[in-house]
Amino acid sequence: MDDHFPIGHRALSRVSLAVLLLDDLTGRQITGSNARAWIEKERPPIKKNDGWFVFTDLRPGCYTVNAEGGQFILSSKDADVTEGSIQMMVIRLKPGRVYPVPSDCLRVEGRSEPGSAVTIVNCNKSSGFKLLSDCKAGDCKVSVFHPDGVRLDGRSFRLSGSDGGSEDIFLSESTEPDCRNGSYRLSDPLKYDHSRIGSVLMPAYSATADENGRFFMILGAGAVSSRLICESVGSVSLTKEYENVDPQCFRPDLTDS
């Protein structure tokens, strides 16, 4: 993206921050008219047809970018803007309760300790992603095979090897803007070696239980027929596994009662 572009017919403005909104379920760009991004007390961004929101002429500093859409939950993310450079940011919007659940996906309405962090791992290998190359313990990036038009930056996975060993990873950003090369930087170095053959990145979905202990999420394709690992971390940690769940709505109870 160029650091200058025309606005109207006369003025030129400097791009300070470019924000891309993604559907967290599909990994594809959100281009609907009701999706928006904004910074409190700053001018509205310029919305591009390809899903980018462009903020111009921001003063150097730290900003909180808010984003939402009619079918998505409000999300916020911090951005550091510096003089003379363009900050590019991806915000993944999680589906809300009014999101139309695709037939091959799974609606989840569960219970856990209020305020606890909930993670569900979809262990269906056909729903996962494969490595493009071997990786070693200490590596700070991985190469992943995925379809064109899908972005995995900002997603969490459980990387499982053929030997049964696994670890949780977070793909923080792509090594190139459009993610076509499948190479992603990691938030933390790998703990173990992983062979390209037999290793799978299994999708991990997260939510925070509300004050009543309720949480909601939508799991991607293949979850209905998968083994699901459900984890809750609060004042206590709890793990349960489920199979053959109700395809209409999965209601896990992750309380310790």
Side-chain angles (χ1 to χ4, degrees):
M1 181 178 294
D2 296 333
D3 63 349
H4 290 82
F5 64 95
I7 300 176
H9 298 287
R10 298 181 180 179
L12 286 177
S13 294
R14 178 176 293 277
V15 175
S16 301
L17 174 64
V19 178
L20 180 65
L21 302 187
L22 296 183
D23 182 328
D24 188 52
L25 183 66
T26 66
R28 298 188 182 277
Q29 296 172 206
I30 300 172
T31 57
S33 59
N34 62 354
R36 67 188 187 108
W38 75 96
I39 298 174
E40 296 290 347
K41 299 181 180 179
E42 297 292 339
R43 288 187 306 176
I46 299 165
K47 184 175 182 180
K48 311 292 284 185
N49 291 333
D50 57 2
W52 286 93
F53 291 79
V54 180
F55 294 87
T56 61
D57 297 328
L58 293 174
R59 299 175 302 279
C62 182
Y63 295 85
T64 298
V65 183
N66 305 296
E68 66 178 358
Q71 301 173 350
F72 299 93
I73 299 171
L74 172 67
S75 181
S76 300
K77 191 172 181 179
D78 291 338
D80 290 318
V81 174
T82 57
E83 185 70 33
S85 64
I86 303 173
Q87 172 76 1
M88 301 180 72
M89 170 189 290
V90 171
I91 298 180
R92 305 186 72 97
L93 295 183
K94 294 182 179 182
R97 293 180 181 274
V98 298
Y99 189 100
V101 182
S103 59
D104 58 347
C105 296
L106 180 62
R107 184 183 184 93
V108 179
E109 296 183 8
R111 296 177 63 243
S112 184
E113 178 186 342
S116 60
V118 178
T119 300
I120 300 182
V121 180
N122 177 2
C123 297
N124 189 329
K125 290 188 176 182
S126 64
S127 302
F129 298 90
K130 296 181 179 180
L131 293 175
L132 285 170
S133 59
D134 297 343
C135 47
K136 301 292 184 181
D139 285 352
C140 293
K141 66 179 181 179
V142 294
S143 295
V144 185
F145 176 78
H146 59 76
D148 290 340
V150 172
R151 302 179 62 117
L152 301 182
D153 41 348
R155 282 290 308 273
S156 295
F157 295 90
R158 184 154 296 173
L159 176 54
S160 177
S162 56
D163 60 356
S166 65
E167 62 182 298
D168 293 338
I169 64 172
F170 180 79
L171 307 186
S172 60
E173 61 180 352
S174 173
T175 59
E176 64 175 24
D178 59 10
C179 299
R180 289 185 181 179
N181 65 356
S183 180
Y184 293 89
R185 296 184 181 90
L186 301 173
S187 60
D188 298 293
L190 291 174
K191 298 177 181 177
Y192 309 110
D193 296 345
H194 295 277
S195 170
R196 177 179 65 87
I197 305 299
S199 293
V200 179
L201 282 80
M202 298 182 295
Y205 302 85
S206 62
T208 300
D210 65 18
E211 65 275 11
N212 298 312
R214 305 287 181 178
F215 66 88
F216 171 83
M217 62 178 75
I218 297 176
L219 307 187
V224 172
S225 58
S226 175
R227 176 172 64 95
L228 301 175
I229 300 175
C230 302
E231 301 170 346
S232 173
V233 178
S235 61
V236 296
S237 296
L238 184 69
T239 299
K240 293 184 179 182
E241 296 189 15
Y242 297 84
E243 292 186 86
N244 302 315
V245 301
D246 184 341
Q248 300 302 316
C249 185
F250 175 40
R251 294 182 171 85
D253 186 346
L254 303 182
T255 60
D256 59 359
S257 58

